[in-house]
């Protein structure tokens, strides 16, 4: 078995035919991690015994006739999603040593489908960042070029899948953290509609934006994972009651013929990396050649999206991260004299620089004197951004855009926070509008770095986005 070539679907088919067992699959995964992770640093921890025990259980169920597509499939889990009995650090010193006491709903669902959730992958601390360099524990490398970042914040998820150290992974996306690393590493990343997947048990960054989603080697696998993940959850009041389609079935007969694809003119501006522009242009031509109708559309408030995001996301983060106080769980300072200094010192010692920057910014924009000027205004502009998309989806089925302005950059290359923030220029608007969006591989630069394109859909048209992504994938020859 060549672990690095397998997909979820092909592994499931091989196991159903008895070509190998889940125990053998998991052993091959552990061997791949042993061989490669010294270079990639995708994983933070791995519950090996737990993985082998879950695989043996999956093999027993298969022998008893269970044919669930995820049975015995290992899934790498971003280290902010709680899995009972496993560490959950959010790549932060403040949660070092913390062990989860319960399963997040997405984990409970994966386990119910027979999946093996044992490997914990690296990320930017509390999902704040675009390179995984903000992790307190390790610098994950891009499998296509070890001197480069895998993107972020779900960089460990992307590197593990692209580097042959996982079949598939869960990531989270607040402003682009599934899609940008997927693009940097040449894999598929899907951010579902806001409310489509439960966040219960997923450490909150910015609650009006966060979504969990699959990161996979192809679109079919993303659909298979979505079938397990999607749906309402009584533990998460923000999940929608909207009926859940069969995402895998929706891919049948996927075609670009007659699909109306919108090209938002604000996304095709000067300043993008030349090679990214070339790849995206080639993708557009390929869609047109395959019979799609390409339509120019306008999303006039795009230019404000970044500013709006960097008010709303830090504001929500500052409130969400207030729970890390050295009292209830996580790091507790040994140098405190009273409750206030316990609180301040624990946070000062536990949080990294970027997290502190966001808390300060968020606290500022929420302070009574500035609330209306910043937070209130940002929410109004957010509504305008949402309306732009609504208007566009009256004319087209999906939108096609670049994922990020550049391919993967070098470790240490982006030192100032603003240039790092610019990575999410093209992913943030769909996050603010709560829309489903996928990053799909669209070839490589002359230097061999992957470039992705993004498909964005109307709310709860997740299946349409995956269908367009699958059709595009087929045109690319996959
Ligand atoms: N890079 C963006 C940020 O730092 C988005 C992160 C995310 O989607 N979690 O906030």
């Amino acid at each position: 078995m060549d672990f690095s070539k397998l997909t979820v679907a092909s592994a499931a088919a091989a196991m159903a035919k008895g070509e190998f067992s889940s125990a053998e699959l998991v052993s091959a995964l552990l061997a791949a991690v042993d061989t490669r992770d010294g270079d990639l640093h995708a994983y933070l921890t791995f519950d090996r015994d737990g993985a082998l025990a879950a695989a043996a259980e999956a093999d027993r169920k298969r022998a008893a006739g269970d044919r669930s597509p995820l049975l015995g499939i290992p899934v790498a889990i971003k280290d902010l999603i709680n899995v009972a009995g496993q560490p959950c650090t959010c790549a932060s010193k403040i949660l070092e040593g913390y062990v989860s006491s319960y399963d997040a709903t997405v984990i409970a669902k994966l386990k119910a489908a027979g999946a093996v959730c044992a490997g914990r992958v690296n990320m930017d601390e509390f999902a704040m960042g675009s390179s995984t360099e903000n992790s307190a524990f390790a610098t994950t490398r891009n499998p296509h070029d070890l001197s480069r970042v895998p993107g972020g914040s779900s960089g460990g998820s992307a590197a593990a899948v692209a580097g042959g150290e996982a079949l598939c992974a869960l990531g989270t996306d607040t402003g682009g953290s599934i899609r940008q690393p997927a693009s940097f590493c040449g894999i598929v990343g899907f951010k579902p509609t806001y409310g489509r997947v439960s966040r219960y048990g997923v450490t909150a960054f910015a609650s009006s934006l966060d979504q969990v989603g699959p990161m996979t080697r192809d679109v079919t696998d993303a659909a298979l994972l979505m079938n397990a993940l999607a749906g309402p959850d009584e533990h998460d009041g923000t999940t929608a009651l909207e009926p859940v389609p069969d995402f895998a079935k929706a891919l049948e007969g996927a075609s670009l013929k007659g699909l109306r694809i919108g090209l938002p003119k604000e996304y095709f501006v000067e300043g993008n990396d030349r090679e990214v522009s070339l790849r995206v242009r080639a993708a557009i031509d390929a869609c047109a050649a395959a019979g799609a109708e390409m339509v120019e559309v306008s999303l006039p408030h795009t230019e404000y999206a970044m500013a709006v995001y960097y008010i709303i996301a830090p504001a929500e983060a500052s409130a969400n991260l207030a729970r890390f106080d050295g009292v209830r769980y996580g790091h507790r300072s040994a140098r405190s004299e009273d409750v206030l200094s316990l609180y301040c010192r624990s946070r000062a010692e536990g949080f990294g620089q970027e997290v502190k920057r966001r808390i300060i910014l968020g606290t500022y924009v929420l302070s009574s004197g500035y609330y209306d000027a910043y937070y209130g205004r940002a929410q109004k502009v957010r509504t305008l951004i949402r309306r732009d998309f609504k208007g566009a989806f009256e004319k087209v089925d999906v939108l096609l855009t670049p994922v990020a302005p550049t391919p993967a950059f070098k470790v240490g290359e982006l030192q100032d926070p603003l240039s790092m923030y610019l990575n999410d220029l093209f992913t943030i608007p769909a996050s603010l509008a709560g829309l489903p969006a996928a990053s799909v591989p669209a070839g490589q630069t002359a230097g061999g770095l992957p470039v992705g394109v993004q498909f964005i859909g109307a709310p709860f048209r997740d299946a349409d986005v995956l269908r367009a992504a699958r059709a595009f994938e087929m045109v690319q020859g996959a």
Side-chain angles (χ1 to χ4, degrees), residues 37 40-44 120-122 140-141 155-157 159-160 165:
D37 210 51
L40 287 187
H41 302 288
Y43 283 91
L44 289 175
R120 316 285 314 198
V121 278
N122 200 17
T140 301
R141 304 283 168 157
S157 308
E165 289 189 40

Side-chain angles (χ1 to χ4, degrees), residues 78-314:
K78 188 175 181 180
D79 210 34
L80 47 36
I81 301 175
N82 284 280
V83 181
Q86 289 179 17
C88 182
T89 65
C90 301
S92 179
K93 283 211 173 86
I94 210 158
L95 279 170
E96 198 168 9
Y98 174 76
V99 174
S100 302
S101 56
Y102 69 106
D103 281 334
T105 296
V106 285
I107 299 299
K109 287 185 172 210
L110 287 178
K111 285 183 178 175
V116 178
C117 307
R120 316 285 314 198
V121 278
N122 200 17
M123 54 183 284
D124 285 300
E125 185 177 2
F126 286 105
M128 297 174 188
S130 302
S131 67
T132 311
E133 291 166 295
N134 291 339
S135 166
F137 303 123
T139 303
T140 301
R141 304 283 168 157
N142 190 313
H144 295 269
D145 176 347
L146 295 177
S147 71
R148 292 177 189 270
V149 303
S153 64
S154 311
S157 308
V161 174
E165 289 189 40
L167 287 181
C168 60
L170 290 191
T172 59
D173 191 310
T174 302
S177 278
I178 286 176
R179 291 162 283 161
Q180 182 257 21
S183 176
F184 278 19
C185 290
I187 64 165
V188 171
F190 180 60
K191 181 198 91 73
T193 301
Y194 184 80
R196 182 77 293 180
V197 174
S198 166
R199 285 100 47 85
Y200 175 71
V202 180
T203 314
F205 162 12
S207 308
S208 75
L209 296 154
D210 302 339
Q211 269 296 285
V212 180
M215 301 177 74
T216 52
R217 295 208 176 124
D218 64 21
V219 177
T220 302
D221 283 2
L224 288 173
L225 281 172
M226 279 303 292
N227 276 354
L229 299 172
D233 176 14
E234 60 177 15
H235 296 302
D236 177 356
T238 63
T239 50
L241 297 173
E242 210 76 17
V244 182
D246 182 332
F247 296 99
K249 210 164 169 40
L251 301 186
E252 285 170 15
S255 161
L256 291 166
K257 206 167 173 49
L259 193 70
R260 293 170 307 164
I261 300 181
L263 304 173
K265 65 172 200 256
E266 292 77 8
Y267 286 62
F268 296 90
V269 285
E270 293 296 303
N272 283 350
D273 178 89
R274 203 182 132 264
E275 294 232 48
V276 168
S277 301
L278 281 175
R279 295 316 312 159
V280 176
R281 206 13 80 194
I284 293 168
D285 293 345
C287 290
E293 186 192 332
M294 310 308 285
V295 185
E296 188 182 279
V297 295
S298 175
L299 303 169
H301 297 92
T302 301
E303 63 172 303
Y304 306 112
M306 179 77 77
V308 166
Y309 175 86
Y310 277 99
I311 291 171
I312 291 175

Side-chain angles (χ1 to χ4, degrees), residues 313-328:
E316 295 180 6
S318 70
N320 279 325
L321 296 180
R323 72 191 63 175
F324 301 103
D325 53 10
V327 178
R328 284 169 285 192

